Amino acid sequence: MSYPQWPGQLRDGLAAMNLSLSDSQQQQLLAFLALLNKWNKAYNLTAVRDERVMVSRQLLDSLSILPWVTTNHLLDVGAGGGLPGIPLAIVFPEKRFTLLDSNGKKTRFLNQCVLELGLDNVEVIHGRAEDCQPDQPFTQISSRAFTALENLVTWCGGLLANDGEFLAMKGQYPDDEVAALPAGWQVESSHSLTVPGADGERHLLIVARAERHR
């Protein structure tokens, strides 16, 4: 279930973002989007239903945080329909990605993506963040449209290395959420993201423990 304009939209969007991806990576991204579109009709994976904006609001939006992904093993919490985890895993085949979601329908979809796209660098976990027990904490944890910052650090702080950071993707700058962060946590930096073809503001907030640089 792909849309004929998608390849051109992806190519133009990547060029506007100064991202150079191989033909096979672009094909994988479009194959993922087709899967997402197909499964979304039954599984309600994402609120975006308009095929004309899917490349922008799902693929390009996910790839907008590429410059800040520096870890070798990223945890994507509330992975939902695989955004940004699956697009990042396609672009960074040498890195490992763990996708965590408590919704069984969504993790079934993610496992299907891993299978059909041959993503051997992706692990899918069905469960709640509070119950997850990784072998070692993560240095970076991404979240997109998952929950408020206060919940993010409360639920997932135990999964983050002491010197690690959250990559929290937001729309407008969430002043209220930043003000509600518990003691011991801070927004280290905020980056305005440019996503070709997307309306509205996009921000990436880097959230870490306050003592990280002491």
Side-chain angles (χ1 to χ4, degrees), residues 41-197:
K41 290 171 172 58
Y43 273 31
N44 195 28
L45 300 166
T46 165
V48 179
R49 303 279 179 186
D50 186 346
E51 293 177 342
R52 294 170 298 178
V53 299
M54 284 183 171
V55 166
S56 172
R57 291 188 52 187
Q58 293 169 330
L59 295 183
L60 299 179
D61 188 74
S62 294
L63 298 179
S64 67
I65 68 166
L66 276 180
W68 294 276
V69 178
T70 56
T71 184
N72 290 321
H73 188 181
L74 179 114
L75 172 66
D76 187 28
V77 295
L83 305 164
I86 298 283
L88 293 177
I90 290 171
V91 174
F92 289 128
E94 75 285 359
K95 296 179 184 289
R96 292 171 59 210
F97 293 84
T98 296
L99 276 50
L100 174 68
D101 202 282
S102 61
N103 183 307
K105 285 183 177 180
K106 292 177 178 177
T107 54
R108 278 198 291 281
F109 166 71
L110 295 174
N111 278 315
Q112 190 66 26
C113 288
V114 169
L115 198 65
E116 291 200 29
L117 301 174
L119 298 174
D120 55 11
N121 61 333
V122 175
E123 175 191 18
V124 177
I125 297 177
H126 174 216
R128 291 166 9 121
E130 304 95 304
D131 301 328
C132 185
Q133 295 182 318
D135 294 335
Q136 58 187 43
F138 295 86
T139 52
Q140 287 189 317
I141 297 177
S142 64
S143 83
R144 177 182 184 268
F146 172 46
T147 187
L149 294 176
E150 180 181 7
N151 295 335
L152 181 64
V153 301
T154 302
W155 297 344
C156 307
L159 303 174
L160 188 71
N162 285 336
D163 60 348
E165 61 190 21
F166 287 103
L167 305 177
M169 300 176 71
K170 297 287 181 181
Q172 289 185 312
Y173 188 86
D175 290 289
D176 293 350
E177 292 185 28
V178 173
L181 271 173
W185 293 93
Q186 65 182 20
V187 174
E188 287 202 341
S189 59
S190 169
H191 307 274
S192 182
L193 302 173
T194 301
V195 181

Side-chain angles (χ1 to χ4, degrees), residues 9-21:
Q9 288 176 347
L10 179 60
R11 206 165 43 245
D12 293 346
L14 292 173
M17 296 168 75
N18 292 316
L19 292 177
S20 178
L21 300 185

